[in-house]
Amino acid sequence: MRIVRARDYKDMSRKAANIISAQIILKNDCVLGLATGSTPIGIYDTLTHWCEKGDLDFSQVKTVNLDEYVGLDGCHDQSYRYFMNKNLFDRVNINKDNTHVPNGKAENAQEECERYHRVIESMGGIDLQLLGIGNNGHIGFNEPSDVFEEKVHKVELTESTIQANSRLFDSIDEVPRYAYTMGIGEIMSAKRILIVASGKAKAPIVKELIEGPVRPEVPASILKFHSDVILIADEEALSLL
Ligand code: F6R
């Protein structure tokens, strides 16, 4: 794992946006695996700015998101489809037909997992997968477990994730209890992985990620077995190392 030290959130965002931008320049019809959450917002702002300036062209880019809450449709302001439209897709010249997020309103969970797995496969592999990291080490919504789940699956969110995500809902009772997520196998199949972390709250898990063993209780630890992973973290997130 290559570790890139950023000064602060802004610097982390620019550095990560530079890597995504280079990927798009090198392969204009690349497949980007994308994440939601607070951490990538600055990255999406930066990419939007470069696209507006005419330095970046999303017209051929294809995207596949990591996860979605079960029960929320794409119009719900806390759904990940809504987040992606608002923070990136509605602001750049991407063809929305080429953007994919699991369907939180699917009637049959098993069929939705299989459908989304086929979507990922049909894209011919992810060129660059962007990841954040949960305080408990989750990537996508692969929560701490005693196994690494391979493929897209429906997952019950842990109390710590529900707690962390409740800041975005009116009350904790409104936070969905389940989500669809890409599996560890699909994430690990990406050609290159870019993981970003910012702030003091992430310092303990970043230390565990870098110094701890590979184990499913810390899902992100599996990234050590991937041959092309870049971690961009700011001073605060690296402060316990
Ligand atoms: C969301 C996702 C999650 C987040 C993680 C960190 O699509 O994949 O794994 O990356 O929960 O979230 P933030 O960035 O809000 O700290």
Side-chain angles (χ1 to χ4, degrees), residues 117-137:
H117 175 73
R118 285 195 303 274
V119 167
I120 300 166
E121 269 190 342
S122 71
M123 298 175 102
I126 296 168
D127 293 296
L128 177 64
Q129 175 66 57
L130 175 64
L131 296 176
I133 183 168
N135 295 331
N136 62 3

Side-chain angles (χ1 to χ4, degrees), residues 9 71 115 143 203:
Y9 180 75
R115 182 195 71 81
E143 297 282 34

Side-chain angles (χ1 to χ4, degrees), residues 16-226:
N18 265 300
I19 291 172
I20 296 171
S21 165
Q23 173 64 70
I24 298 171
I25 291 166
L26 288 170
K27 187 178 175 194
N28 65 349
D29 61 348
C30 65
V31 178
L32 299 178
L34 296 178
T36 60
S38 305
T39 319
I41 290 176
I43 301 173
Y44 297 149
D45 281 345
T46 309
L47 292 173
T48 300
H49 180 55
W50 292 343
C51 188
E52 281 166 357
K53 280 202 306 175
D55 288 344
L56 203 50
D57 176 16
F58 279 82
S59 61
Q60 306 301 314
V61 170
K62 291 168 265 175
T63 68
V64 59
N65 261 77
L66 283 164
D67 42 17
E68 179 61 283
Y69 287 120
V70 170
L72 301 193
D73 73 27
C75 300
H76 190 290
D77 64 0
Q78 292 307 327
S79 75
Y80 287 171
R81 162 54 78 180
Y82 186 95
F83 173 102
M84 289 309 304
N85 287 348
K86 180 172 138 215
N87 288 291
L88 188 67
F89 301 152
D90 285 341
R91 304 163 77 197
V92 297
N93 65 331
I94 201 163
N95 176 353
K96 282 251 190 84
D97 293 343
N98 291 335
T99 68
H100 303 276
V101 181
N103 175 9
K105 286 299 254 187
E107 279 179 14
N108 183 310
Q110 186 58 34
E111 280 175 17
E112 177 55 14
C113 293
E114 286 165 14
R115 182 195 71 81
Y116 204 64
H117 175 73
R118 285 195 303 274
V119 167
I120 300 166
E121 269 190 342
S122 71
M123 298 175 102
I126 296 168
D127 293 296
L128 177 64
Q129 175 66 57
L130 175 64
L131 296 176
I133 183 168
N135 295 331
N136 62 3
H138 73 213
I139 47 176
F141 271 136
N142 291 277
E143 297 282 34
S145 168
D146 44 12
V147 287
F148 289 112
E149 289 271 1
E150 194 189 337
K151 290 185 181 165
V152 181
H153 57 287
K154 180 178 165 182
V155 65
E156 183 169 10
L157 304 182
T158 60
E159 266 320 303
S160 89
T161 298
I162 292 169
Q163 199 72 44
N165 292 2
S166 65
R167 69 189 191 280
L168 303 165
F169 289 81
D170 290 339
S171 82
I172 193 160
D173 297 334
E174 286 180 30
V175 185
R177 268 32 190 178
Y178 293 90
Y180 293 117
T181 182
M182 243 189 237
I184 293 292
E186 287 140 342
I187 293 172
M188 289 292 282
S189 298
K191 292 178 193 122
R192 170 174 269 186
I193 294 176
L194 174 60
I195 179 162
V196 287
S198 168
K200 270 211 157 49
K202 295 287 168 73
I205 193 61
V206 168
K207 181 179 165 65
E208 171 69 31
L209 169 66
I210 293 169
E211 295 179 354
V214 173
R215 56 195 179 107
E217 291 80 5
V218 183
S221 64
I222 192 80
L223 299 176
K224 287 183 179 165
F225 288 162
H226 192 287

